Amino acid sequence: MSQPFPDVPADYLDYTDRVWNGAATVAEHLSGAWGRSGLVPLGPRTGLFARFANVAVFDTGDGLVMVDSGEARTAGELYDGVRAWSADELAAVVFTHGHVDHVFGVGPFDAEAEQRGKDRPQVIAHEAVADRFDRYARTAGYNSWINRRQFQQPQLNWPTRYRRPDTVYRDSLTFRRGELTFELFHARGETDDATWVWIPELRTLCTGDLFIWNAPNAGNPQKVQRYPEEWARALRTMRDLGAEVLLPGHGVPVLGADRVRQALGETAELLETLCEQTLELMNSGARLDEVVHTVRAPQHLLDRPYLRPVYDEPEFIVRNLWRLYGGWYDQNPANLKPAPEAELADELAGLAGGARVLADRAAELMARGSARLAGHLAEWAAQAAPGDRAIAAVRAEVYAERARQESSTMAKGVFGWAASESRAAADGRELFEVLVESRTSSPDSIGSAILPTAATGTGAAAEVRKPDAE
């Protein structure tokens, strides 16, 4: 390490060191195991609420300032942890972005202020956070469905009520409270409303989800546009600050100036090489298909403990870059105004000699290790004969095996949901029943190691069944 951290508990310091070196994973941190006794002290003025979604709490000497507020299911724990750490007024909360796993913990502090007859904490965020909340209310049904699929959570219902910011800014905002200065900067990255925070007196950087101990969530196939190029620039700006403590949106702190610089620089490098390769191929006239199957992330970066593709993955980032730079047309003329998928499937089944021929071939291809090709044939077979239970069973096996083979939560979620759909069709059961059974029999499967099941809360918070973000 580049410097000692005497305020950090020795066992937690050792754990963060093992995570950095790849001898342990962040799963233990995400589970809340290190936060059961309250905030983890990181310095005389810094406490960390160490859960799935981190919350940083700072003692300014004139009230507390929090960066993020966590998810609905941990709001009560956060309040208790902060109050065990300090009885001082919570003066302000900075939202690093508007994802639901970062903005649902303010309620108990608002209630406390009301009970005491004081002003509630000031929530500060980028101006686009309010727009995000408006969009969430309009697309609550869609967000429910895509997050149910991504995390295999059939009971998830997307919230429609949010704690809105009291103060917003556009490019940057600096405020001082007590003995600490909080410098807020806007960056488009995973979201268009991202804020990162620099506290110079503490040499501490709060990145929000611009750093999450995974390959950047810059390609999520079911979610809105991401901005990898601007994300990389923000990471390099943060890298050059000389921070000694990096508090990420998810996962353990990065402690030591050298490690902070390396983590931010290499995350930027990963995004930059994907951008450069994608643009080079697009500029040469390549189709999306060629781009997706040509661009590769450097293996030495993917091997880093903080860049492993276990949530998002580079292939999805490439597709998102195509959408960002070139729109949705993939340059295959047949896909510009395609025939309905069911008609195409029926035609192919007829040429092949029947939908079951396609299904049988899909099973053969899967057994030979040709998973991607098997997926196409299984899909065509199922669409050509939607009522055929035998074909549904083949599709279920194909996608179940594909889910088992994948490393990223996003791919596992989509394939796992497809497998459950077909298993329900093959067995003549309801999809909900199959999904619940699947999660009961395999509690550590798709997404659960990253996104623990949420408990029911009250009021607006009760609508959030899963600590996911859009």
Side-chain angles (χ1 to χ4, degrees):
M1 292 233 180
S2 60
Q3 72 166 56
F5 293 90
D7 297 292
V8 182
D11 54 350
Y12 189 69
L13 188 63
D14 175 70
Y15 169 61
T16 64
D17 191 56
R18 287 186 289 113
V19 172
W20 175 264
N21 290 310
T25 74
V26 296
E28 190 176 332
H29 176 102
L30 298 177
S31 73
W34 287 97
R36 289 178 183 143
S37 59
L39 303 188
V40 177
L42 299 180
R45 294 189 177 276
T46 307
L48 179 67
F49 183 69
R51 294 293 194 282
F52 168 75
N54 291 328
V55 179
V57 188
F58 299 96
D59 180 358
T60 72
D62 182 26
L64 307 178
V65 172
M66 287 197 324
V67 176
D68 282 329
S69 69
E71 50 186 283
R73 64 174 184 164
T74 58
E77 291 181 70
L78 172 65
Y79 176 82
D80 292 341
V82 170
R83 282 293 159 250
W85 190 67
S86 173
D88 290 354
E89 169 195 8
L90 177 61
V93 182
V94 177
F95 287 169
T96 61
H97 58 299
H99 282 171
V100 298
D101 52 343
H102 294 263
V103 300
F104 269 99
V106 185
F109 296 97
D110 282 346
E112 175 190 70
E114 182 179 357
Q115 185 179 33
R116 296 179 178 179
K118 296 184 177 181
D119 292 336
R120 66 183 189 171
Q122 181 186 32
V123 173
I124 305 169
H126 185 261
E127 62 184 5
V129 165
D131 295 334
R132 172 181 297 279
F133 292 162
D134 290 339
R135 175 164 54 84
Y136 277 170
R138 295 178 63 200
T139 60
Y142 174 75
N143 274 295
S144 294
W145 277 110
I146 61 176
N147 284 286
R148 288 169 188 169
R149 183 185 304 123
Q150 183 159 305
F151 301 108
Q152 308 291 282
Q153 288 290 320
Q155 293 174 298
L156 184 149
N157 291 302
W158 199 253
T160 57
R161 291 179 287 157
Y162 299 86
R163 172 62 156 89
R164 291 179 173 269
D166 304 298
T167 299
V168 298
Y169 76 98
R170 178 162 296 173
D171 298 314
S172 63
L173 173 69
T174 297
F175 70 92
R176 186 170 180 85
R177 184 80 187 193
E179 299 177 27
L180 298 181
T181 306
F182 297 85
E183 300 178 10
L184 281 56
F185 298 92
H186 173 236
R188 296 204 303 179
E190 179 184 352
T191 68
D192 62 357
D193 59 357
T195 292
W196 56 271
V197 184
W198 171 237
I199 304 100
E201 295 87 354
L202 302 179
R203 312 305 295 169
T204 294
L205 180 66
C206 299
T207 64
D209 280 3
L210 295 169
F211 186 85
I212 58 169
W213 280 93
N214 275 294
N217 181 12
N220 197 319
Q222 303 184 85
K223 309 295 178 70
V224 296
Q225 183 68 57
R226 271 74 166 126
Y227 306 92
E229 200 165 31
E230 292 168 79
W231 192 337
R233 286 200 294 270
L235 289 165
R236 293 208 176 276
T237 299
M238 288 187 275
R239 180 201 62 175
D240 293 340
L241 289 171
E244 296 171 359
V245 177
L246 184 160
L247 303 181
H250 304 272
V252 302
V254 180
L255 303 174
D258 291 343
R259 288 183 175 183
V260 171
R261 184 174 178 85
Q262 176 182 319
L264 293 173
E266 290 189 336
T267 305
E269 182 184 349
L270 176 63
L271 291 170
E272 288 162 351
T273 184
L274 295 175
C275 291
E276 290 163 4
Q277 292 178 65
T278 299
L279 279 173
E280 182 178 359
L281 286 165
M282 291 180 72
N283 286 331
S284 73
R287 289 184 177 190
L288 174 59
D289 179 72
E290 180 183 352
V291 175
V292 166
H293 291 98
T294 301
V295 173
R296 292 291 179 269
Q299 191 60 47
H300 76 278
L301 294 178
L302 296 181
D303 287 340
R304 293 294 194 193
Y306 45 84
L307 289 177
R308 290 172 181 163
V310 298
Y311 185 56
D312 204 341
E313 55 184 281
E315 181 175 330
F316 298 155
I317 296 175
V318 171
R319 287 185 177 276
N320 196 37
L321 284 164
W322 180 281
R323 178 174 65 172
L324 177 65
Y325 294 133
W328 59 264
Y329 175 50
D330 62 4
Q331 295 194 18
N332 179 343
N335 290 336
L336 182 65
K337 300 185 72 174
E341 292 178 345
E343 288 186 15
L344 175 60
D346 191 60
E347 181 68 18
L348 291 170
L351 291 171
R356 288 204 176 185
V357 175
L358 289 176
D360 290 343
R361 181 59 175 166
E364 292 174 9
L365 289 168
M366 202 69 204
R368 285 170 34 187
S370 299
R372 295 193 183 217
L373 193 54
H376 287 294
L377 269 63
E379 199 65 27
W380 288 329
Q383 291 206 33
D388 190 313
R389 290 191 176 187
I391 290 176
V394 171
R395 182 178 183 267
E397 287 303 317
V398 166
Y399 283 120
E401 181 57 30
R402 293 208 69 180
R404 284 190 287 269
Q405 293 178 5
E406 295 296 332
S407 65
S408 74
T409 296
M410 296 172 190
K412 284 180 176 292
V414 170
F415 293 149
W417 186 274
S420 294
E421 285 178 326
S422 284
R423 177 54 57 202
D427 295 348
R429 294 191 291 165
E430 294 293 327
L431 173 60
F432 178 87
E433 179 185 353
V434 173
L435 287 166
V436 170
E437 179 183 275
S438 175
R439 288 193 62 82
T440 301
S441 60
S442 302
D444 295 326
S445 63
I446 303 165
S448 58
I450 296 175
L451 295 170
T453 303
T456 302
T458 58
E463 299 178 67
V464 184
R465 305 292 183 186
K466 196 69 173 177
D468 174 43
E470 183 254 29

